[in-house]
Amino acid sequence: MALSVCAAPLVWASTSLSNSSSLFITGKLPSPSSAFQLPFSNICNLNPRRPLLSVIEGRTSRVACSHVKVEDSIEDEACELVNGAELSIGEGVDSINAYFFTAVKNNNGTGILLLSDIFGFEDTSTRDFAYRVACNGYNVLVPDLFRGDSWEKERPTALFEQWIASQKSERVAKDIATAVKWMEDEFVAAGVSKKLGIIGFCFGGGRVVEVLAEDLNGYFGIGISFYGTRIDPSVAAKVKVPVLFIAGENDPLCPVNALRNIGESTGAGSRVVIYKGRGHGFAHRPASPEEDGDAEQAFEVMRNWLYSGLLVNN
């Protein structure tokens, strides 16, 4: 399956949800619920040259910390204050950069790993989305999957295959494993979060399935894959937890029939949500007012999925 070159950036806008007739849903989705609240502390040391305090009170972690300017264009009545920090996790040549967004008030203590599309962890659309997830009480880690060499919109598309070939799957998997290990240590092993969640877009959406298939210790409770690419059906069959798959009806990079088959082979309770008339990347890169409406609805579907799967059922 070809990989997407998602290329239509647009700043998130506040719009009403689109009519429910614009999507097809396989299975029953959780209903909206009120916010879950849990005190949370020790988010980030204010001195960027000193180590970041672990998000677990009384523990420290080998990470470098500097504050990140978060986008202020997002409007959400339910949004809480969010703290952003830039981290370096892992050690030596195996260390990777990442952004870490945490809700300062009403933090529910739950960790979310967010895997970007090919434009990387510094991309505005990805950061905006991670910020919005954190606004709802979560702690979101966005690792650099491409070691500072993410795809750039200005590059000729003829060079894409050469670029993606240079992003060795073994190296990407190892870096994701570093991020997973950090999440496990900071949240699950420390007893703060019973289960982790994972979200991915496009390239990252495909990697969501791989991470869950390899999660033999059951650290992740649920996953969300937005129009994931390069998903191996045999790998998807190894996933034991529910996965929410969201895609557009007209997405050539994530065919509906193939996605539904994958959804049926993953963990019990998995759901496939298909938006009529939408193509690739609409949920985090809406390119029209109509796509923006469906993007808002997709976010609500995802938010309810996170709440039901990570807070209510755990």
Side-chain angles (χ1 to χ4, degrees), residues 29-33 299-309:
L29 291 167
S31 58
S33 305
F299 188 90
E300 290 299 316
V301 170
M302 179 209 67
R303 181 161 62 177
N304 293 335
W305 182 264
L306 290 174
Y307 179 84
S308 177

Side-chain angles (χ1 to χ4, degrees), residues 227 246-252 254-256 259 273-282:
Y227 25 80
I246 296 178
E249 178 188 30
N250 299 331
D251 188 348
C254 187
V256 171
L259 189 63
V273 181
I274 304 298
Y275 282 79
K276 294 176 63 176
R278 299 293 162 245
H280 198 76
F282 76 93

Side-chain angles (χ1 to χ4, degrees), residues 189-267:
V192 172
S193 179
K194 294 181 180 180
K195 294 287 185 179
L196 301 171
I198 182 170
I199 302 170
F201 304 107
C202 313
F203 177 87
R207 310 293 72 74
V208 163
V209 173
E210 295 171 0
V211 170
L212 294 177
E214 296 173 3
D215 181 31
L216 301 181
N217 293 319
Y219 291 121
F220 288 92
I222 57 172
I224 301 101
S225 175
F226 285 88
Y227 25 80
T229 58
R230 301 176 185 255
I231 300 177
D232 185 338
S234 65
V235 173
K238 299 178 182 178
V239 175
K240 304 302 181 184
V241 299
V243 182
L244 172 64
F245 295 94
I246 296 178
E249 178 188 30
N250 299 331
D251 188 348
L253 303 175
C254 187
V256 171
N257 290 337
L259 189 63
R260 284 178 173 147
N261 290 336
I262 288 172
E264 291 176 358
S265 68
T266 54

